[in-house]
Amino acid sequence: MGRPARRRPLEHEIADPVGTGRRRILITGAGGQLGRALQETFVADDVVALTHAEWDVTLPRLSLPADPGLVLHTAAWTDVDGAEDDPQGAAAVNVGGTRHVAELGAPLVYYSTDYVFDGRTSDPYVESDAPNPLSAYGRTKLHGEAAAGEQAWIVRSSGLFGPTGTNFVTTMLRLARERDEVAVVDDQRTAPTYVGHLADATRELLERPFGIWHLAADGDCTWAELAEAIFEESALSTRVRRISSDALDRAAPRPPYSVLRSEKDAPSLPHWRDGLRACLDGLA
Ligand SMILES: NC(=O)c1ccc[n+]([C@@H]2O[C@H](COP(=O)([O-])OP(=O)(O)OC[C@H]3O[C@@H](n4cnc5c(N)ncnc54)[C@H](OP(=O)(O)O)[C@@H]3O)[C@@H](O)[C@H]2O)c1
């Protein structure tokens, strides 16, 4: 017997589970940068936002105040290099944790990554392309996709940044306060995505069927090009020295090319440069 077809959620299951006119939504990893952005986007809904301290997803959730109609599952082990040293720890969060979230029985959005691909291409990746992760992090996120179950939107995105937390933009701005020049890799091309834009696209995606969806910013750039744009938009004179990934000697290999595009009718996101401006506005 083949796999059952993925079914679209019934409208009442996510739209109004308790007849109040508001969706009851659980957000995991609510202290992270995407978790925070989602709380802003879904502010009109009945949101329960649980931080790492409030629900460690490596442990089954025994009780919730009420059953959610939808889960936005952002909790994850996101330390890409750290996952090489402790792949089992990363899997406990990204795979085991996702299984626990799926066990709640509600439709869920699982956030995955461009790092499920090996990057040995110069064409954007679409949903039907075969994954081949290079790193332990990428492998755990790919297994997490399977653990999300049948009632899931698998959202692959890339290079997330926002005004909260530690990310490439906030790191570059910090380094610019400390030095005149920063060395940044110029041999990894991706589509850096602003978390506010991804959160808005997530809301639109709920109108689409379950399955894999690529949701990343329009355009693409290398990290060095993004650093130059950050300094330009911030009117900083900090110089960018372009280096190769080998010079950094990091534990986890990264795909050299991981631009994500959709071959389906995915919600479209603004250009990464618009995301950068929105992020800098948020920081100001
Ligand atoms: N960042 C990127 O560039 C990127 C790119 C593509 C996809 N993604 C995916 O997008 C999602 C959101 O990423 P993000 O950038 O918002 O990451 P983030 O800022 O690191 O947030 C992840 C959150 O998960 C929490 N967390 C870690 N272990 C947990 C556990 N065992 N139980 C519950 N919560 C736990 C973290 O809490 P603590 O900090 O307190 O541990 C943190 O608040 C993740 O699934 C990530 O894999 C990220």
Side-chain angles (χ1 to χ4, degrees):
M1 220 167 68
R3 279 152 66 96
R6 290 188 169 195
R7 98 181 149 75
R8 225 182 145 112
L10 301 174
E11 185 63 17
H12 74 271
E13 287 178 328
I14 58 168
D16 189 14
V18 287
T20 59
R22 302 167 82 212
R23 289 179 284 204
R24 182 177 288 146
I25 298 174
L26 174 67
I27 300 178
T28 67
Q33 53 175 349
L34 179 58
R36 285 169 185 259
L38 287 165
Q39 288 171 67
E40 287 183 21
T41 293
F42 288 86
V43 70
D45 292 289
D46 183 5
V47 171
V48 175
L50 299 180
T51 63
H52 190 169
E54 290 163 323
W55 182 17
D56 178 341
V57 296
T58 62
L59 306 170
R61 181 80 187 172
L62 298 180
S63 66
L64 282 169
D67 288 336
L70 171 70
V71 184
L72 304 176
H73 175 38
T74 78
W77 176 303
T78 54
D79 177 356
V80 176
D81 292 312
E84 297 297 315
D85 290 337
D86 186 6
Q88 283 171 340
V93 185
N94 295 347
V95 188
T98 301
R99 201 168 291 131
H100 291 145
V101 171
E103 281 167 5
L104 295 174
L108 78 95
V109 180
Y110 169 79
Y111 291 93
S112 189
T113 169
D114 52 330
Y115 286 8
V116 299
F117 295 111
D118 60 25
R120 296 183 188 124
T121 179
S122 51
D123 290 325
Y125 284 105
V126 294
E127 288 89 345
S128 61
D129 284 326
N132 183 32
L134 301 174
S135 63
Y137 169 73
R139 284 189 288 278
T140 62
K141 292 298 294 183
L142 182 60
H143 290 139
E145 292 184 1
E150 295 295 323
Q151 288 193 91
W153 294 270
I154 308 293
V155 172
R156 294 191 186 132
S157 195
S158 53
L160 298 189
F161 62 90
T164 63
T166 302
N167 56 57
F168 188 82
V169 175
T170 55
T171 300
M172 286 300 121
L173 292 174
R174 176 178 57 76
L175 291 176
R177 284 195 295 273
E178 298 166 2
R179 50 185 89 160
D180 297 330
E181 182 179 271
V182 291
V184 185
V185 296
D186 194 35
D187 54 4
Q188 294 170 33
R189 182 164 291 276
T190 188
T193 300
Y194 175 55
V195 287
H197 291 162
L198 180 57
D200 291 346
T202 297
R203 190 172 52 188
E204 274 186 63
L205 186 68
L206 301 177
E207 306 295 325
R208 314 285 206 278
F210 295 134
I212 296 174
W213 293 88
H214 286 186
L215 299 185
D218 192 22
D220 59 75
C221 62
T222 67
W223 295 109
E225 289 166 356
L226 178 57
E228 286 169 350
I230 293 166
F231 300 145
E232 191 182 307
E233 294 288 342
S234 308
L236 293 167
S237 56
T238 315
R239 292 184 307 278
V240 175
R241 184 159 50 87
R242 296 177 176 227
I243 59 169
S244 75
S245 304
D246 290 347
L248 284 187
D249 198 25
R250 297 176 91 174
R254 269 84 168 163
Y257 183 94
S258 62
V259 179
L260 302 175
R261 291 288 167 254
S262 181
E263 62 191 343
K264 311 199 297 193
D265 64 332
S268 56
L269 278 75
H271 195 274
W272 60 265
R273 190 125 192 167
D274 295 326
L276 173 59
R277 292 192 187 109
C279 178
L280 294 172
D281 284 350
L283 283 164

